[in-house]
Amino acid sequence: MTDLPGCLYGRAMIEPPEHPAPPSTTPHWQPQPARGAPVAAIRAAQPGASIVHVEATTDITTADPELTDHAEVLRAIGWLPTDLVLGRVDAAHPLRGWLEEHGADPGHLAELESSATRIDVMGVNYYPDLTPRDLVAGPDSPVQVSYDRGTAGLRAAVERFTDRYRLPVVITETSIEGSDEGRVAWLRDSVAEIEALRSEGRDVRGYTWWPMFDFVDWSFASGGRNVE
């Protein structure tokens, strides 16, 4: 279901490191300066276009008091791509210093801040058995363990995105692996949860079951195999 005729569906993403690096780590990544020109060109060519920025949900918790700060940093990193696109990473942003300490060019960050892109809708990706992560101590470093949080996680994701960015949202990706019965159950339950959120005043404009039939799992890349 969708309420967005003529929308542009895309994603501007900056991949952070999987785990927060200690201050002594050699800088190893750079956010790339964003430009508002492509969005401006789209709006000029199609004034009625709706610009959708899509972001994966970061849902990380921990029961280990020693990992509380680590989990908090990971959650903050999850907001970074959208915060950068929207020009929110100013001098007061909690991760501005962290970015510069880990190699981000202050000039690039200033350019991102001054060239903020206006988007119309926030796309939210959420998978009930993949998105929620429990942060636990591993042999060498903390480990993220996926678990199924069901519709409670979907609700929390929608509430966090709408509260933070004050934009309409679309569920741009959701589904679940498993049996046909399990997939049908998630389709039914997740749609019902979205309807409940809408009835409570949350501005959810659409829902995408992805993929419709089947897809190549990201895990193929780790084996270096030809997926065909």
Side-chain angles (χ1 to χ4, degrees), residues 57 59 124-128 131-132 149-150 152-154 157 173-175 186:
T57 301
D59 186 354
V124 177
N125 294 350
Y126 175 83
Y127 295 91
T131 299
R149 196 180 173 193
L154 177 61
E173 288 186 25
T174 193
S175 64
W186 174 245

Side-chain angles (χ1 to χ4, degrees), residues 166-195:
R166 301 296 177 181
L167 288 166
V169 302
V170 171
I171 305 304
T172 38
E173 288 186 25
T174 193
S175 64
I176 192 170
E177 294 183 325
S179 66
D180 289 346
E181 293 77 12
R183 289 164 63 83
V184 168
W186 174 245
L187 178 61
R188 180 189 62 241
D189 294 346
S190 58
V191 168
E193 194 65 32
I194 293 303
E195 290 175 341

Side-chain angles (χ1 to χ4, degrees), residues 76-118:
I77 290 173
W79 296 119
L80 259 183
T82 302
D83 284 357
L84 286 163
V85 167
L86 298 180
R88 290 185 167 210
V89 185
D90 57 15
H93 192 280
L95 289 186
R96 178 65 176 258
W98 182 89
L99 285 168
E100 294 182 2
E101 289 171 8
H102 291 82
D105 186 305
H108 287 177
L109 294 175
E111 187 175 353
L112 286 162
E113 182 184 349
S114 64
S115 61
T117 299
R118 181 175 66 84

Side-chain angles (χ1 to χ4, degrees), residues 39-228:
V39 170
I42 291 167
R43 294 192 190 280
Q46 188 176 348
S50 294
I51 308 301
V52 182
H53 170 79
V54 180
E55 190 54 76
T57 301
T58 300
D59 186 354
I60 297 177
T61 56
T62 185
D64 187 338
E66 295 187 1
L67 295 179
T68 299
D69 290 345
H70 191 102
E72 184 177 353
V73 171
L74 288 173
R75 288 192 295 269
I77 290 173
W79 296 119
L80 259 183
T82 302
D83 284 357
L84 286 163
V85 167
L86 298 180
R88 290 185 167 210
V89 185
D90 57 15
H93 192 280
L95 289 186
R96 178 65 176 258
W98 182 89
L99 285 168
E100 294 182 2
E101 289 171 8
H102 291 82
D105 186 305
H108 287 177
L109 294 175
E111 187 175 353
L112 286 162
E113 182 184 349
S114 64
S115 61
T117 299
R118 181 175 66 84
I119 63 175
D120 301 302
V121 179
M122 189 72 226
V124 177
N125 294 350
Y126 175 83
Y127 295 91
D129 57 341
L130 177 63
T131 299
R133 307 288 180 88
D134 182 26
L135 191 66
V136 299
D140 302 310
S141 61
V143 176
Q144 299 178 33
V145 180
S146 300
Y147 69 99
D148 193 336
R149 196 180 173 193
T151 57
L154 177 61
R155 168 175 284 271
V158 170
E159 290 175 343
R160 286 199 298 268
F161 273 100
T162 53
D163 288 344
R164 185 179 184 89
Y165 296 115
R166 301 296 177 181
L167 288 166
V169 302
V170 171
I171 305 304
T172 38
E173 288 186 25
T174 193
S175 64
I176 192 170
E177 294 183 325
S179 66
D180 289 346
E181 293 77 12
R183 289 164 63 83
V184 168
W186 174 245
L187 178 61
R188 180 189 62 241
D189 294 346
S190 58
V191 168
E193 194 65 32
I194 293 303
E195 290 175 341
L197 285 160
R198 285 167 60 102
S199 71
E200 296 165 15
R202 297 286 175 172
D203 192 357
V204 184
R205 302 288 181 90
Y207 175 107
T208 303
W209 179 268
W210 190 91
M212 181 62 73
F213 298 109
D214 205 350
F215 70 104
V216 177
D217 192 278
W218 282 107
S219 60
F220 87 89
S222 62
R225 295 177 285 106
N226 187 327
V227 297
E228 298 179 356

